[in-house]
Amino acid sequence: MGEGWVRSRWARGFTGLLVGAALGWLVHQGLQLTGPELFMLLGAAAGLVGGLLLHAYARSVRLTEITVTVPQFSELRFAVTRDGQQVAWKLFVETATRVSTQALGPGDGRMREALTSLYGLFAVTRELLKEAHPGVQTGPEPTVEQLGIAMLNLELRPFLSRWHPALRAWELAHPDTAESEWADDAACRAELAQVQRRLAAYVQSFGRLAGVARPEVLLGPAASEDAGRRSG
């Protein structure tokens, strides 16, 4: 063991000795008190204990602070709690593994599959947020749950409310026609690409809030390049 560790050990022991002696003296003095002086001492002790408990609670609630950049809000500073980390991890897994968050080039895949995937993402995100305990807001900073709700209301809901019924109506009217013949296919794909770019920022934010190192790497080269442009 190093000399510094030994000195530190003796310093902690000496400090503990002094604190113990001081507490013993205070207890002895307290036993001699009566009337208002006794109540003042008890009140001071109760206030000290309460302050220490509040400090310990605040440390357990406010785990860390992280600044993320998401569409509609620019930079947001989050006070991430342990419960918030768990919610962020679940949201990250659900959003990062959906086919709807991966780029869909012209003529690639089917819009029906992408829309169904986005609809499923909306449903599972809403269920996760309903099951999670409301985040403790320790200041003006938003919570992870509020970021999830913003993704639903500002990104997924507007896109799905426009294109999901439009494609469904066309499918019912043209049951034997290839989806590529849909007149709005190109427009829908173009808007989907914009939504996916914004969703990628949410996915990366959930990853960072969950403690994932470089979450953009897990989303593929396009997300990594986009993250590099935002940080540059």
Side-chain angles (χ1 to χ4, degrees), residues 14-204:
F14 184 70
T15 302
L17 180 65
L18 290 178
V19 171
L23 289 176
W25 182 82
L26 287 175
V27 171
H28 173 74
Q29 291 298 108
L31 293 176
Q32 312 302 316
L33 297 176
T34 58
E37 292 82 3
L38 176 60
F39 285 100
M40 288 177 61
L41 180 62
L42 292 175
L48 176 61
V49 172
L52 292 174
L53 290 175
L54 285 175
H55 177 69
Y57 174 74
R59 284 178 61 86
S60 67
V61 169
R62 186 184 290 270
L63 181 62
T64 186
E65 290 188 350
I66 298 176
T67 300
V68 300
T69 302
V70 292
Q72 310 288 348
F73 297 106
S74 186
E75 287 192 348
L76 288 176
R77 190 171 182 83
F78 283 81
V80 188
T81 65
R82 289 182 174 86
D83 288 341
Q85 266 195 327
Q86 295 177 0
V87 174
W89 170 248
K90 293 179 180 178
L91 291 173
F92 175 72
V93 171
E94 290 295 341
T95 52
T97 57
R98 295 273 170 174
V99 66
S100 54
T101 61
Q102 305 302 315
L104 188 66
D108 295 338
R110 298 180 63 247
M111 282 305 306
R112 168 50 57 202
E113 294 175 355
L115 287 171
T116 300
S117 179
L118 283 177
Y119 190 83
L121 176 60
F122 186 98
V124 74
T125 300
R126 184 170 56 184
E127 287 304 311
L128 283 175
L129 295 175
K130 285 170 59 178
E131 294 172 1
H133 295 291
V136 179
Q137 196 161 1
T138 57
E141 301 91 347
T143 64
V144 176
E145 294 83 0
Q146 290 171 341
L147 181 61
I149 292 175
M151 183 184 72
L152 294 184
N153 289 334
L154 299 179
E155 300 297 343
L156 294 179
R157 187 188 300 277
F159 179 79
L160 289 173
S161 62
R162 177 185 179 185
W163 291 111
H164 185 74
L167 179 56
R168 181 58 179 162
W170 182 86
E171 289 172 334
L172 292 175
H174 307 82
D176 300 321
T177 306
E179 187 184 277
S180 58
E181 299 298 319
W182 180 34
D184 291 327
D185 182 68
C188 185
R189 285 173 179 268
E191 188 170 335
L192 173 64
Q194 296 176 5
V195 171
Q196 287 175 325
R197 282 194 292 270
R198 294 194 297 268
L199 284 179
Y202 282 91
V203 178
Q204 294 171 44

